[in-house]
Amino acid sequence: MLKKIIFPVLAMLMLAGCATSTNTLDVSPKIVLPSQDPTLQGITISINGADQRQDQALAKVNRDGQLISLTPSRDLRFLLQESLEKQMTARGYMVGADGAVDLQIVVNNLYADVQEGNLRYNITTKADISIIATAKNGSKQTKNYRSTYNVQGALSATNAKITNAVNTTLGDVISDMASDTSISDFIKANAR
């Protein structure tokens, strides 16, 4: 009688444990917008994204003796393309298909290196993002944005902690993009 009760209960607990774990990180960094540039006069730009990373995983962690790849909830190139579009629109540019300057935002690297010991974890997240501006007159400019973030703590590195580290790093890069005017200066100089 006891076996008839214990085995189904154990099976349900094991299945419940499997159902709660996920290999997806909810990537949603804070998007900082720059102030509007009053000198812009109807300049249209086009924006697209690219992901040059060799591996689509954001992190690899050892869980229960297995190496698990954690992937983003959204396609990173579209996430960063959307961020750049919001920033350029906030500056006063119009975004369209055939712009005076083409912008490409490239994900060169975004990875969280997760180290876990018996009682502590260490997460180091690195981001390397490029914006390549190409004008119709042939001029070209590449601007790189890099950020590193490190967090340490007790016990294990949960998905929430890894997600927070990735979002912080991406948020720093997006903030740097908002405060940097070099791409905007290039567009203004080459859009005519």
Side-chain angles (χ1 to χ4, degrees):
M1 180 72 176
L2 193 57
K3 288 182 183 178
K4 288 183 181 179
I5 295 172
I6 292 178
F7 286 123
V9 170
L10 285 176
M12 286 187 340
L13 289 174
M14 287 173 48
L15 287 174
C18 293
T20 58
S21 66
T22 178
N23 297 340
T24 305
L25 301 179
D26 182 25
V27 179
S28 54
K30 181 181 176 195
I31 297 177
V32 177
L33 299 178
S35 56
Q36 187 168 2
D37 185 345
T39 64
L40 295 178
Q41 297 172 344
I43 298 174
T44 301
I45 58 172
S46 66
I47 299 175
N48 66 56
D51 191 345
Q52 301 290 334
R53 298 175 302 140
Q54 298 296 321
D55 189 347
Q56 297 307 305
L58 286 179
K60 293 188 180 182
V61 294
N62 190 341
R63 298 221 169 114
D64 300 324
Q66 289 186 327
L67 190 62
I68 305 293
S69 292
L70 302 176
T71 55
S73 57
R74 292 187 59 190
D75 189 326
L76 293 177
R77 63 191 160 142
F78 292 127
L79 173 78
L80 287 165
Q81 180 179 331
E82 179 184 306
S83 300
L84 183 58
E85 283 178 8
K86 286 180 179 179
Q87 288 181 343
M88 297 313 272
T89 303
R91 287 187 199 277
Y93 293 100
M94 293 182 291
V95 178
D98 189 34
V101 176
D102 299 324
L103 298 182
Q104 182 179 44
I105 186 160
V106 181
V107 184
N108 298 312
N109 185 27
L110 179 61
Y111 190 75
D113 182 21
V114 181
Q115 305 289 324
E116 289 183 302
N118 290 340
L119 297 172
R120 297 201 51 79
Y121 68 86
N122 183 40
I123 303 170
T124 303
T125 310
K126 294 182 181 180
D128 181 358
I129 310 294
S130 298
I131 297 178
I132 303 167
T134 308
K136 297 292 185 219
N137 65 12
S139 298
K140 193 173 189 177
Q141 177 178 329
T142 301
K143 179 69 182 185
N144 293 315
Y145 300 92
R146 294 181 180 95
S147 182
T148 302
Y149 176 78
N150 180 268
V151 64
Q152 300 174 4
L155 303 176
S156 66
T158 63
N159 282 8
K161 293 172 185 171
I162 298 168
T163 299
N164 185 49
V166 170
N167 283 333
T168 300
T169 306
L170 266 182
D172 290 347
V173 166
I174 291 169
S175 178
D176 289 347
M177 288 165 39
S179 63
D180 182 27
T181 60
S182 63
I183 294 294
S184 186
D185 294 342
F186 174 84
I187 293 169
K188 288 191 283 188
N190 292 282
R192 306 278 180 255

